[in-house]
Amino acid sequence: MNRFAWVNPGSVEEAVAALGARAALKAGGVDLMDLLKERLIAPERLVNLRAIPGLDGIEERADGLHIGPLATLARLAEAQAVRLRYRALADAAGRAATPQIRNVATVGGNLLQRPRCWYFRSEDFLCKKKGGARCFAQDGENAYHAFLGNAVCAAVHPSAMAVALLALGGKLRIVGPRGEREAPLEGFFVTPEQDVLREHALGPQEIVTEVLVPPPAPGASSAYLKQGEKESYDWPLAEVAVLLEREGGRCRRASIVLGAAAPVPHRARAAEAALAGKAVDEAAARAAARAAVEGATPLADNGYKVTIAEVIVRRTILAAAQGSGT
Ligand SMILES: Cc1cc2nc3c(=O)[nH]c(=O)nc-3n(C[C@H](O)[C@H](O)[C@H](O)COP(=O)(O)OP(=O)(O)OC[C@H]3O[C@@H](n4cnc5c(N)ncnc54)[C@H](O)[C@@H]3O)c2cc1C
């Protein structure tokens, strides 16, 4: 790890000013410390977002849920309003990583963490994501890699928060050198075809200052399920968040997002269309789940993930259909 200066900004504006080409922003530091140790970054300054007070709130207002970027996953998982009315988000936060990591990891850092592909993380492989010419996973060890959208880079997007927040229609408040802007999570994540070197559309001197989730529509309910290789802490083989809005027992609108499937959180639009207008029962969930994995392009060792994803989509749709809160 390189030597760096430690900056404790007093405000978001001071933090923005301290950022730039040779600086990195630190929230909980779980991913950032790994990036430093793996020599994927070598900043001259670390800007400590946690020095700024008031960025860790979790508050439900008339216009929805306001989450500070420094709210930890543990607090989000336990917040009563989140558990009651934003169920998919609470469960995604509560199932990520380990209790120790959830006590430190923040919502903002989780959304903006970098992929865990072992070729990307290893100094020994100059993959496309680091400016090289090859995606080593495509003909290498790819059992945990993407089975959708994997033509350029096969790393899966790592963030459980992204999966749940995208399904619930979340957006980000962002502050940068040119002031404040809002960005819906829909369209915020960048595919390898758009730019293989990055995963999101945040500028180098921009900071996420709030995550906003709209209030549940009447008749809405949501669920999040994750399947790993083991019951104790694990990265997902499949994770799915579903938001259902129903009227008269039928699905008015569904939002279905798959994680661990593609380089960005994958909105399964064919599955959403398959549910529209239907009573959400076992047959409808099964048909939608099949549609969710249509077009899969599995690699040599990850075909089993397609089957698991299909099962988890079906189960999550049915879990959302049983719930009353979002
Ligand atoms: C063993 C292990 C298992 C894990 N399992 C899971 C899992 O199952 N699911 C899952 O989702 N995650 C998992 N993680 C990842 C973990 O949840 C993330 O690393 C963590 O949430 C990152 O949050 P942080 O606050 O520590 O971010 P940091 O490491 O501080 O920051 C991460 C990145 O985000 C940027 N950043 C942070 N906050 C902001 C902001 N407000 N504005 C702009 N940029 C910002 C930083 O500059 C940095 O680039 C796991 C990690 C480990 C080590």
Side-chain angles (χ1 to χ4, degrees):
M1 193 189 293
N2 64 298
R3 292 174 69 84
F4 51 77
W6 183 257
V7 181
N8 276 327
S11 64
V12 170
E13 290 68 29
E14 271 181 46
V16 168
L19 287 173
R22 303 294 297 156
L25 189 69
K26 190 196 83 64
V30 177
D31 194 39
L32 197 81
M33 290 303 128
D34 282 350
L35 295 172
L36 285 166
K37 286 186 280 185
E38 289 152 349
R39 298 180 208 277
L40 284 165
I41 57 170
E44 288 169 1
R45 292 186 306 286
L46 278 198
V47 181
N48 177 25
L49 194 63
R50 293 214 296 190
I52 303 172
L55 290 179
D56 63 351
I58 301 172
E59 201 186 325
E60 194 184 28
R61 300 182 201 158
D63 64 346
L65 197 59
H66 292 241
I67 308 167
L70 292 180
T72 61
L73 301 190
R75 284 184 50 235
L76 196 63
E78 283 157 20
Q80 205 192 7
V82 185
R83 292 218 65 72
L84 286 175
R85 282 177 290 281
Y86 305 86
R87 187 58 191 254
L89 184 59
D91 286 349
R95 288 292 319 273
T98 68
Q100 293 87 345
I101 291 170
R102 292 195 293 272
N103 279 334
V104 179
T106 67
V107 173
N110 186 277
L111 282 171
L112 299 163
Q113 62 177 307
R114 302 222 62 196
R116 289 275 163 178
C117 168
W118 40 46
Y119 297 108
F120 170 63
R121 293 277 171 164
S122 165
E123 277 186 89
D124 298 334
F125 296 90
L126 183 62
C127 73
K128 281 188 184 165
K129 206 163 242 324
K130 291 182 283 194
R134 276 181 67 188
C135 169
F136 292 88
Q138 278 163 344
D139 50 6
E141 299 284 337
N142 52 40
Y144 302 110
H145 285 75
F147 59 83
L148 288 165
N150 54 9
V152 174
C153 162
V156 289
H157 199 275
S159 169
M161 291 293 87
V163 172
L165 286 166
L166 185 56
L168 297 182
K171 61 183 177 182
L172 306 176
R173 185 159 288 144
I174 293 168
V175 173
R178 282 188 294 280
E180 190 174 280
R181 68 181 176 103
E182 277 187 3
L185 279 171
E186 187 75 56
F188 178 73
F189 297 105
V190 171
T191 64
E193 283 77 7
Q194 292 168 319
D195 185 351
V196 70
L197 300 176
R198 60 202 308 222
E199 294 84 42
H200 56 73
L202 200 70
Q205 268 182 282
E206 287 191 318
I207 296 177
V208 172
T209 55
E210 197 167 46
V211 179
L212 306 149
V213 190
S221 57
S222 75
Y224 164 92
L225 292 178
K226 164 178 173 175
Q227 182 67 50
E229 271 179 340
K230 52 188 191 295
E231 281 299 313
S232 64
Y233 102 83
D234 210 350
W235 289 92
L237 295 173
E239 60 181 339
V240 178
V242 171
L243 170 69
L244 290 179
E245 291 173 10
R246 280 175 295 171
E247 205 172 344
R250 296 191 174 266
C251 174
R252 187 177 57 230
R253 191 180 80 87
S255 176
I256 301 174
V257 181
L258 277 65
V264 292
H266 177 74
R267 185 93 189 255
R269 294 201 183 269
E272 296 172 7
L275 274 188
K278 304 247 169 54
V280 186
D281 55 14
E282 174 74 34
R286 195 173 286 276
R290 198 163 313 119
V293 294
E294 261 166 29
T297 51
L299 304 166
D301 298 329
N302 71 354
Y304 74 101
K305 284 184 64 178
V306 183
T307 312
I308 292 176
E310 185 177 337
V311 170
I312 300 303
V313 171
R314 175 171 53 81
R315 288 182 186 169
T316 316
I317 291 169
L318 292 172
Q322 277 160 18
S324 52
T326 41

